[in-house]
Amino acid sequence: MQASAIVLAAGEGTRMRSSLSKVAHQILGVPMVRFVVDSVHAAGIARVVTVVGHHAEAVSAIVSDTEIAHQERRLGTGDAVSRAREAFAGVDGCVVVLAGDVPLIRAETIRTLVDAYESSETACVMLTARFADPDGYGRVVRGPLGRVAAIVEHRDLRPDQGWIDECNVGVYCFDVHELFDRVARLEPANTQGELYLTDVIGMLVADGLEVDAIETAEPEECLGVNTRVQLAHASRIMQRRINLSHMLSGVTMTDPDLAWVSPGVTLARDVVLEPMTFLVGDATVGEGAVIGPSTRIENGKVGSGATVERSVVCDAVIGDRATVGPNAYLRPGTVLAAGSKVGSFVEVKNSTIGEGSKVPHLSYVGDATIGHDTNVGAGSITCNYDGFEKHTTVIGDGAFIGSDTMLVAPVNVGDGAMTGAGSVISKDVPPGALGIERSEQRNIEGFVERREAHGPDERKA
Ligand code: UD1
Ligand code: CA
């Protein structure tokens, strides 16, 4: 049987106190609802309908690989599900319904739920958990024979139901027809005046159908995120889950609580992540590379044996054995060839630095191509912007750029050429030549002695 899924993501998330939709809040650089959709897909469910409402456009963009249904007014989780009805016209089988605010849910768990549904004769199998603090969760009320009878929301619990610790985690597998038939008949008979999806359970049972519950062995994966405190808690759990899997695959983390690695990041064996390291987006790190301490890498590639210390790297490619930092800033379009070096307080943007070339200290390299085995002296800068447009600098192989050279682009420095320290180079330097732009130095003999003899008053005169 082919399962599909509905992800509920229309709520405002008032408890987040945010101008952002709750499900757009990020965990390790990834919006919460993205984790949910990815887990559903990983469970083998291809068809996903996301119900959006609050900040519909922003949320739709996050889950653009799903079908979108709109809930205009936030009338409750039951109403949200009914907004997906059209998308299921003519569809049979089962549908997994889950909220966009359970980012830790694992694909295996969704799969288990669907398998349990398929091997049973029930109208719904729901996932439950027992939490140390069940506050805020709906509770599972069971009948005299121990079968699921209904779900009662936390705020609607009667005093004699307060002891129930089996919680509804908001993840269900329903028969499509039974589900849409019931959500169409929901009534807002509760303290919030909302149409509760959870009431569908009681309705199914009242109609003589069966509902099963599977209790998760790992309650933390069912954590619903309603507040920023829960967001931080979920982030910590996700961080540990991801780090554990990297460590077991051969990555060293000096302090795993101080390494943040996004789910899309690939780390090879023997990578070392020092403390305060953030690897986010689509980043790949090669074998034996050492990252950190205090480094942020967003997208891009780090080659094997490279080191990146105390630096910020964004959409850059760092070659094998290249060294970066401490305190470098590699911006989009940076390509460092194998064995090259970008040292301390160096910023590089949209530039290629050739094999074995070095920019060791205090430089800005923008819109430049630097050949192999070239040395760029301390304090040198490519003046790539004339106030209107950006221009390129091309430096050949084996060149030597003297310290504090200003390369006024567009400009070329040929293979094996040199520039004199302190020069403002605005004309091309041919291969093998020295480009020097500097007024001649004058030495005034005996100056210091004379100045001391005359004293400060005379100096003024
Ligand atoms: C819900 C369940 C509760 C369960 C808990 C698990 C209901 C009535 N209650 O409560 O039993 O223990 O999840 O985390 O279902 N949403 C919409 N449209 C709406 C309202 C909500 O799309 O009109 C979406 C929200 O964006 C959210 C999800 O539904 O992703 C759940 O809504 P939320 O308000 O967080 O429900 P809970 O109070 O947590
Ligand atoms: Ca919730």
Side-chain angles (χ1 to χ4, degrees):
M1 205 190 301
Q2 192 64 34
S4 9
I6 301 175
V7 174
L8 305 181
E12 181 175 352
T14 328
R15 291 164 277 181
M16 293 298 275
R17 305 196 185 282
S18 173
S19 53
L20 208 65
S21 157
K22 171 169 75 177
V23 298
H25 279 264
Q26 298 186 344
I27 287 178
L28 295 170
V30 176
M32 265 201 271
V33 64
R34 196 61 250 172
F35 281 102
V36 175
V37 171
D38 288 344
S39 283
V40 171
H41 283 155
I45 299 175
R47 181 150 190 252
V48 180
V49 177
T50 309
V51 183
V52 303
H54 196 257
H55 291 298
E57 235 170 86
V59 178
S60 306
I62 295 169
V63 293
S64 56
D65 55 342
T66 71
E67 291 170 49
I68 301 293
H70 288 268
Q71 185 193 28
E72 304 307 332
R73 291 191 298 142
R74 255 51 71 207
L75 301 175
T77 47
D79 178 70
V81 167
S82 71
R83 301 297 139 188
R85 171 191 302 278
E86 265 176 45
F88 287 89
V91 174
D92 295 320
C94 66
V95 57
V96 173
V97 177
L98 69 176
D101 67 354
V102 286
L104 302 170
I105 193 80
R106 291 174 310 137
E108 299 77 41
T109 306
I110 296 171
R111 201 58 248 170
T112 305
L113 193 71
V114 174
D115 290 345
Y117 173 87
E118 286 178 348
S119 59
S120 71
E121 293 294 314
T122 59
C124 171
V125 178
M126 58 182 288
L127 191 64
T128 65
R130 282 172 221 269
F131 297 102
D133 174 16
D135 232 48
Y137 289 96
R139 310 299 160 77
V140 180
V141 176
R142 288 180 179 266
L145 297 175
R147 300 210 56 87
V148 174
I151 300 173
V152 179
E153 284 307 288
H154 179 97
R155 53 173 94 206
D156 299 313
L157 282 174
R158 293 196 315 258
D160 64 317
Q161 293 171 323
W163 60 272
I164 304 175
D165 63 348
E166 191 183 4
C167 298
N168 167 37
V169 299
V171 180
Y172 326 76
C173 183
F174 286 103
D175 173 273
V176 174
H177 299 291
E178 304 294 356
L179 172 67
F180 285 109
D181 176 76
R182 299 313 181 291
V183 288
R185 297 196 266 127
L186 285 171
E187 302 274 354
N190 51 63
T191 48
Q192 291 199 97
E194 287 187 1
L195 300 174
Y196 283 170
L197 172 61
T198 45
D199 286 347
V200 166
I201 304 300
M203 290 163 92
L204 293 171
V205 174
D207 291 343
L209 297 166
E210 278 196 13
V211 175
D212 271 351
I214 305 183
E215 184 179 333
T216 172
E218 195 196 318
E220 41 176 47
E221 76 169 310
C222 299
L223 187 80
V225 175
N226 299 314
T227 67
R228 304 224 193 201
V229 176
Q230 290 166 326
L231 181 69
H233 186 194
S235 297
R236 179 63 81 196
I237 296 168
M238 184 64 80
Q239 177 200 27
R240 290 197 171 139
R241 193 192 279 176
I242 290 172
N243 287 359
L244 185 77
S245 113
H246 284 302
M247 288 189 285
L248 292 174
S249 316
V251 171
T252 293
M253 297 189 179
T254 315
D255 183 342
D257 278 352
L258 297 179
W260 291 266
V261 182
S262 282
V265 171
T266 310
L267 305 177
R269 284 160 73 110
D270 293 321
V271 163
V272 177
L273 300 186
E274 298 286 7
M276 298 303 290
T277 293
F278 303 79
L279 298 172
V280 296
D282 181 14
T284 304
V285 181
E287 197 167 328
V290 180
I291 314 291
S294 299
T295 291
R296 177 180 168 83
I297 296 180
E298 197 176 325
N299 307 324
K301 229 181 137 199
V302 179
S304 5
T307 62
V308 185
E309 186 175 355
R310 212 174 276 280
S311 293
V312 175
V313 176
C314 191
D315 292 288
V317 176
I318 297 171
D320 295 346
R321 300 174 315 283
T323 67
V324 176
N327 301 302
Y329 182 20
L330 304 186
R331 293 168 50 201
T334 295
V335 178
L336 307 186
S340 63
K341 174 189 171 95
V342 166
S344 49
F345 303 101
V346 173
E347 176 176 335
V348 184
K349 184 216 76 172
N350 188 33
S351 296
T352 298
I353 295 180
E355 210 169 318
S357 288
K358 296 183 167 68
V359 188
H361 340 265
L362 303 152
S363 284
Y364 171 63
V365 177
D367 304 309
T369 304
I370 299 178
H372 62 76
D373 300 305
T374 282
N375 192 85
V376 177
S380 294
I381 278 172
T382 54
C383 310
N384 61 329
Y385 185 52
D386 61 13
F388 300 99
E389 280 176 83
K390 300 278 170 69
H391 302 281
T392 55
T393 300
V394 179
I395 302 173
D397 303 330
F400 183 94
I401 305 299
S403 292
D404 198 31
T405 297
M406 300 292 114
L407 295 154
V408 183
V411 72
N412 303 303
V413 177
D415 292 346
M418 298 178 80
T419 67
S423 296
V424 177
I425 300 296
S426 51
K427 285 186 265 180
D428 289 356
V429 182
L434 167 69
I436 184 157
E437 184 277 343
R438 200 198 275 165
S439 52
E440 211 161 308
Q441 181 174 334
R442 211 155 52 96
N443 288 340
I444 303 170
E445 295 295 340
F447 175 84
V448 176
E449 205 176 307
R450 284 205 301 282
R451 186 182 70 152
E452 272 161 15
H454 289 287
D457 295 344
E458 212 141 321
R459 232 186 319 156
K460 257 185 232 155

